[in-house]
Amino acid sequence: MINVVLYEPEIPQNTGNIMRSCRAFDCRLHLIEPLGFHLDERHLKRAGMDYIDGLDYRLYPNIETFYQENSKGQFVYFSRYGMQSFDKCVFNKQRDIYLLFGKESTGIPKTILRDHLDETYRLPMIGEARSLNLANCVAIGIYECRRQVGFEGLQDHETIKGADWLLK
């Protein structure tokens, strides 16, 4: 299973977009508190997080609890400070895969990344760019992971309007 882990996300719209990507790509979402928003229905709807229905997600009070409950698998950390390019990452489809992303303002803390240097990757970009939007980074990470392990269970054709919709 592919898992997306958000360490202390701050912006509800980003998390809403990530929820939508997790739902569309059949990934489990892990949210590590504190969150910069509320997960109640009123706040979710206002942030456009209508994809929470059917979404497999878990909430953790801290990173230690997350690690205690998810100790086995391949862990891949994303950081602008990663010392290797993300295209070097090879995913192991025989294991659960955890894609970890930090909060929008500061990323994953250095204290966590230092223990996982070999599993920390950077998305290549021009030198003048400080960072990419969190939801975009997650989508890139999920898609490359899915590409490598296969698109099993995902549709490669239009199912709502029909596979031949362009031909009509």
Side-chain angles (χ1 to χ4, degrees), residues 6-20:
L6 301 183
Y7 177 85
E8 299 181 5
E10 299 166 315
I11 301 173
Q13 293 82 358
N14 279 338
T15 303
N17 285 329
I18 293 164
M19 288 175 161
R20 185 175 187 163

Side-chain angles (χ1 to χ4, degrees), residues 6-10 31-39 59-60:
L6 301 183
Y7 177 85
E8 299 181 5
E10 299 166 315
L31 300 170
I32 299 172
E33 295 180 304
L35 309 179
F37 49 87
H38 299 282
L39 278 177
L59 187 62
Y60 304 89

Side-chain angles (χ1 to χ4, degrees), residues 104-118:
E104 290 89 342
S105 62
T106 58
I108 300 171
K110 191 188 290 189
T111 55
I112 295 171
L113 293 177
R114 279 187 183 149
D115 293 335
H116 304 282
L117 292 176
D118 291 341

